Structure formats: structure tokens, C-alpha cells
Amino acid sequence: MSTEPLLIRQARILLPSGEFFKGDVLVRNGKIVEVASEIINGDSLTIIDATGLTLLPGVIDPQVHFREPGLEHKEDLFTASCACAKGGVTSFLEMPNTIPLTTTQSALDDKLQRAQNKSLVNYGFFMGATPENLPDLIEAKPTCGIKIFMGSAHGALLVSKEEDLDPIFARGSRLIAVHAEDQARILERRRQFAGITDPAIHSQIQDEQAALNATQLALKLSKKYQRRLHILHLSTGIEADLLREDKPSWVTAEVTPQHLLLNTEAYASLGTLAQMNPPLRSPENNQVLWQALLDGVIDFIATDHAPHTLEEKAKGYPHTPSGMPGVETSLPLMLTQAVAGQCTVAQVSTWMSTAVARAYKIPNKGLIAPGYDADLVLVDLDTYCPVIREDLKTKCGWSPFEGWNLTGWPVITLVGGQIVYERGKLYPQVRGKALTFDE
Ligand code: DOR
């Protein structure tokens, strides 16, 4: 698709230094070609008047479950990418627990083809580890990395035993991202608490110790082979404390907005909508995770967008699936925190874009500078609007944050220099591109 040159005029621009300045950004052939404090000549260009708006690099969400193929009743790559565009998410890294599982090159190719046909934003896919697919894990491409479910999974994608994990860490060099929960402990505690239907028990069954045990094992194996490790959705203060004491330079970790902003008190109002893996924790954990993020112990933010229908969520615990949607609320949630003084807007942008591009070695993304891809989001930091169910683009049609009054909502989102979302309107003909990952 051709991309018209365009000029973003008089935005408050976040520079790579973390400072803001008011100026113009010229975009041509999908790239940022000029960032200037003086007025750039805009004759014959499409002009976006960005007066009063803040320009940030588009969000790169490094953990989403978009359900296609096989689970399209929950979400698909079109609806999910519409939600991304509305939320200022211009690239995503998607997880392998679809049907079929993304455990082979052909399954990966199929997802890439589907995304090319349907996704409004840029896309990358994880390869899922099984105890048997080591050659695929080493060879398949392009992929952002290997996903290992050490717990909270069933069937082929569960790799919980050290003897099955060890060879995956030993062979190959690409990034390994772990869902760190101790499956044996979870199963034992499930038996112990059998019969309890209050969803709050979920946080006790899949408790903090279960998360810590698995994170410790992943760290041990990563150190044994000096293997690049990423710990997905860190949920507990004890894991953060562990990393604070001993985090090798080749290890990164992420946290979700819900583990920062929601806690076990949410079960009272949300019931099973608050059920996710790893589970929500106590309010004290929120504080420790925030501090770890502010101190750089946790490197970046992912939503773990994991939509399930309201019918599925109404089945009654423990028959309800775990997971909640997130891509269209994550940026305003975090920017609202920044405006409230919890962190800075520049930090939010680092955690949601710059640091993700760096960790996954995605070239030319995550900064506003000449030569970088024009994946951009213009946000309004002055207006507050609540999260409203009727506005949501995710197919599952609900959010755990409904009613939250947020600022920093995207006004315009650009993918590869094309407007994909503008003031409530989507441009569904725009297509993102396959992300590339440097070796
Ligand atoms: O709560 C979750 N749901 N956590 C995961 O890691 C998987 C996800 C899903 O796919 O539903």
C-alpha cells in the first residue's frame, strides 16, 4: 500500500533523550525523515495538526494471545489488531497457544500469512516449546523467541520438568520467554482446595511460591548455559526481590498493568473476570512490583491480552478460563499513572516501546528519530474519559478496567506512516508488516 508523505505539526514530541519539545515530524515512505523545532514546509503534504497533543513511539506489546487460528470465537487477528490500533499498540508479539499450536515452521508460516491478510498493525510470533520440538525451536524463523509454559498449561505446550527444560536452554541461542509457575505445586494445591468455587481461591492455589519456584528454576538454567532469558508477567514481590539481588545481564523481565494496578481485592467486584495466570496478588505486591519497575529490575510492560468470552467467564470457578484483555487500555492506564505522578511519561514510553524493541532486537522501532519507522501515537494528556464496554474493539467485549476514568487516550495512531486510527475511527484497510528480529 502506498504511503503518502505526511507532516505532524506542532506536537509535543518525546525525544530519544527522554525530553519533550514542541515541533514538527516529517514522515515519508513509512519512515520518520525529519524531527524539527522549526516549522517544516508542508506544501502538498497531508498535515496532522497536533497542537496540544503528545507524540510517542507506538506501543510494542510483547505478550498477547490473539486466538487465531482455532479460537476465533474469543478474538481474531483482525479484531485484536483493531483493538491495538485504538490503544496505540503498533506492534505485537503473539503467543503460541492457538489451535494448532505454533510449534512448527508451517504453523508459524500460517500465522504470518493470516496476519499479513488481516492485521492492521505490525506482528511477530513466538514459537511454542514442547518436550519434543527442539529442532523446530532452533530453526524456525522469523520468530521473536521461544515461549515455554513451565506451568499453567496443559497438553503439548507444558514443559515443566527440569530434564525437559534443560536441553531447550542448552541448545540454540535465541531468546527464551518463560511463563514461570510450578505446575506440580499448582496441581497439588488444586487438590487441596478442591470444591471451593470462590474465584479468589485462584490466587491461593497458584500462589506466590509456585511463581517463585519456577522463576528460580528458569534462572538456574539460564545461568548454567548463559542463555538469554525473559521472564514473562512477573507477578510477585518475592520474584522481584530475587531479581534485584541476582539478575544476570542477559535476563529481562516484564510486568502487566493488571499486576501493577489490580490485586486480590478485585475478585469482589470482578469475580472470574479477575482470574488470570499468574494470578493477581496482594496490594503489597503492587507496591513492590512498581518499585522494581521504577528501579529497572523489571525492564518493560506487556498486557498478556488473553480474551475469553463472557459466557466462558460465567461458567463458575474452577471451570472458568484464566485471562483478561488489555491492548486497548494499557497505554492510557499507564499514562494516567504518569499524570498522577507515579512515574513519568518518558518512563511509560520506555517500558512500552523503547525497551521492548531493544530486548527483542527489533530494528528501527521504539524511538522518534530520523530513520526510525513511523509507528507513532498521538495522545491527549489533558482529557479524561472512562473505559466503556460499548467502545471496546476486542471481540470478547469486556475489560476489567470498565469505569476507570483515564487520560492519555490515543487520538491518532500511525503504523508505517499510515493513519490506522483517528478520533474513534479505524482505517481497516491498513496493514502492518511482519517484524524482523536481529540475531
Ligand atoms: O491468564 C492467562 N491466560 N495467562 C496465560 O498465560 C495464558 C492466557 C490465555 O491464553 O488465556
Side-chain angles (χ1 to χ4, degrees), residues 101-114 124-127 136 139-144 174:
L101 305 172
T102 322
T103 52
T104 61
Q105 179 72 57
S106 65
L108 176 64
D109 289 341
D110 175 56
K111 271 196 176 172
L112 286 160
Q113 186 60 52
R114 288 167 181 272
F125 296 99
F126 280 91
M127 282 290 289
D136 301 87
E139 299 290 328
K141 58 177 182 262
T143 182
C144 43
R174 61 174 39 144

Side-chain angles (χ1 to χ4, degrees), residues 334-349:
M334 293 306 296
L335 289 175
T336 300
Q337 292 295 309
V339 170
Q342 174 73 19
C343 56
T344 68
V345 171
Q347 281 174 314
V348 169
S349 185

